[in-house]
Amino acid sequence: MQKYLDAFIDSFIGNLQWTWKSIVFEVPWYTNYFWGLIAISLIVWALEIMFPWRKNQSIFRKDFWLDGFYMFFNFFLFAIAISGFYKLLSLFFEDIGVSANTFTLIDISKTSTWIQLIVFFILLDFVQWFTHILLHRYSFLWKFHAIHHSVKEMGFAAHLRYHWMENILYKPLKTIGVMVLGGFEPEQAYIVHFIAITIGHLNHSNIKITWGSLKYIFNNPVMHLYHHSYTLPKGVHGVNFGISLSIWDYLFKTHYIPEDSGTIELGFPGDDKVPKKFIDQLFYGFRSSKKTKSS
């Protein structure tokens, strides 16, 4: 028991110290997610200001500051808080004989760095796409995901506005995906993570980008805006589930882009019942409520 307690405390303190070292520039710049997130956010925000898609939308749009706080809460504060629990799970699996490569189907550790990064990026994106569909398909998961869809005006910071339970849901599935590929993250995985942050910010931004013919591979703001549409085709639980890549939606026929004006209403039927304050949103989804239609 003492081993578990020590591991929990060490993991929590270690993540806290790493975050502080990032803030004071004591970690390599290419792994500094704190300032990297800020830099990407400022660049995309500047592009929103210079090239606004919805020109009548305020620079400080509705819930701008709430979404900004969510970015740091989900990316750092909650990650620090939950780190000890992830370490406990890791130790538990080790004790019962389950290692990182127990379920390995494809070992890419001996391939070139770029192959590792590309496969790592594609696999994680597919796992997130599939998980995203589950969040829309099942009402008990949708209640948490509804926080993200309560956004009424789209901007870059909406990217990381999501209920903390989504971290709990995504992490195990992403971990399984990594285990299938040899139980490791490539040494340069920070490249994949920064690319994913940038694409996610752009997809939620007030900038009209389609990527031309590459739209069938990469997700984009025009496509993702319809994922947040208040009105959806009849009989579907959602559309355009892609995270960084759009190819999954085109392959599995979940894409839907009827027009590109950017003026559609956002949200979902019943979004007025979602609390407006951050502290209330933390507990949203645990209280019993009538089922609302996902969008």
Side-chain angles (χ1 to χ4, degrees), residues 22-23 59 66 72 87 96 98 105 124 181 183 204 240 269 275:
S22 298
I23 294 173
I59 293 174
L66 174 63
F72 291 94
K87 184 61 178 179
I96 63 175
V98 177
L105 297 179
L124 289 192
L181 289 179
H204 290 82
N240 304 343

Side-chain angles (χ1 to χ4, degrees), residues 97-281:
V98 177
S99 65
N101 57 7
T102 297
F103 304 105
T104 298
L105 297 179
I106 305 172
D107 187 355
I108 63 170
S109 61
K110 302 298 190 295
T111 62
S112 71
T113 297
W114 285 109
I115 291 178
Q116 292 179 36
L117 290 174
I118 292 171
V119 174
F120 181 71
F121 175 68
I122 292 173
L123 178 71
L124 289 192
D125 193 77
F126 177 77
V127 169
Q128 290 179 320
W129 175 82
F130 179 73
T131 307
H132 197 180
I133 290 179
L134 299 181
L135 293 175
H136 282 256
R137 180 66 180 83
Y138 296 102
S139 59
F140 72 98
L141 297 178
W142 165 254
K143 288 188 293 185
F144 300 117
H145 192 51
I147 292 297
H148 183 65
H149 280 267
S150 64
V151 172
K152 301 301 288 184
E153 290 186 339
M154 193 67 75
F156 73 93
H159 172 206
L160 297 177
R161 171 180 176 169
Y162 54 83
H163 196 283
W164 57 270
M165 272 296 292
E166 290 200 31
N167 284 313
I168 306 297
L169 299 168
Y170 272 106
K171 181 73 173 181
L173 291 176
K174 288 196 290 185
T175 300
I176 292 173
V178 170
M179 292 174 72
V180 168
L181 289 179
F184 79 108
E185 283 196 11
E187 183 180 353
Q188 291 81 11
Y190 56 84
I191 296 175
V192 170
H193 296 314
F194 277 125
I195 289 174
I197 293 171
T198 302
I199 294 176
H201 268 35
L202 287 172
N203 289 342
H204 290 82
S205 69
N206 185 23
I207 311 170
K208 187 175 183 179
I209 303 173
T210 63
W211 304 126
S213 58
L214 291 177
K215 67 182 180 181
Y216 299 109
I217 298 176
F218 294 104
N219 200 357
N220 58 78
V222 174
M223 185 175 192
H224 193 69
L225 189 70
Y226 258 96
H227 176 70
H228 285 261
S229 176
Y230 189 95
T231 304
L232 291 174
K234 189 174 181 179
V236 302
H237 295 277
V239 296
N240 304 343
F241 297 102
I243 307 300
S244 293
L245 301 177
S246 62
I247 189 171
W248 316 121
D249 287 307
Y250 285 106
L251 284 175
F252 295 98
K253 309 300 182 183
T254 53
H255 63 285
Y256 178 70
I257 315 170
E259 55 88 46
D260 61 358
S261 68
T263 58
I264 61 175
E265 181 182 2
L266 306 182
F268 59 92
D271 60 15
D272 57 316
K273 295 180 176 62
V274 175
K276 308 302 180 185
K277 296 181 180 179
F278 171 77
I279 191 65
D280 295 324
Q281 291 181 0

